[in-house]
Amino acid sequence: MHNSWYANVPVMKHGRHDRNRLWVHPDDARARGLSDGAKARLWNEHGALELEIAFDPGLMRGVVALTHGWGNRGSTGMRVAARTPGVNANVLLPVGEGSFEPLSSQAFMTGVPVELGPL
């Protein structure tokens, strides 16, 4: 819950961090016909998102990064977050048996296989 509260702090919503872009290595994006700032579709067997990509040459090829704690469209009492809702990365997470670490009950939120393509 604390991580989601940052979505409602105005000082956290500026510059390259004013929305939750999908960070992609430039070579991976270009191989899919995507340019920096392009709208793209990210999907897997659990769901799909439409979002803007941003180049990050520091990422390893074959890896994308999407910040969680966004997707607050319609959140009551969170005016800043509602104005800049972004997308909810949880849409792509597995659910059910085997989708969480058994000792902590923490959901697996990294290493989630996805596909990326133009919108």
Side-chain angles (χ1 to χ4, degrees):
M1 184 62 177
H2 278 110
N3 290 334
S4 297
W5 291 344
Y6 285 119
N8 202 47
V9 178
V11 71
M12 302 291 285
K13 302 273 189 129
H14 62 86
R16 289 179 59 103
H17 303 287
D18 63 345
R19 60 183 135 325
N20 65 330
R21 296 168 176 88
L22 179 70
W23 302 93
V24 183
H25 190 282
D27 294 340
D28 289 337
R30 289 186 193 110
R32 290 162 177 78
L34 297 165
S35 58
D36 192 34
K39 298 291 184 187
R41 182 171 185 262
L42 185 69
W43 75 95
N44 65 14
E45 63 186 290
H46 307 291
L49 298 171
E50 295 179 0
L51 36 60
E52 179 183 327
I53 68 163
F55 286 177
D56 184 347
L59 279 175
M60 182 173 28
R61 296 273 324 259
V63 173
V64 297
L66 180 62
T67 306
H68 72 284
W70 292 73
N72 296 294
R73 189 175 319 283
S75 294
T76 58
M78 294 179 62
R79 290 185 302 273
V80 174
R83 280 194 308 269
T84 55
V87 297
N88 187 343
N90 292 346
V91 168
L92 302 171
L93 298 181
V95 295
E97 189 172 333
S99 66
F100 57 91
E101 195 282 319
L103 291 177
S104 67
S105 292
Q106 172 65 45
F108 290 127
M109 299 181 77
T110 60
V112 177
V114 294
E115 297 289 332
L116 175 65
L119 188 56

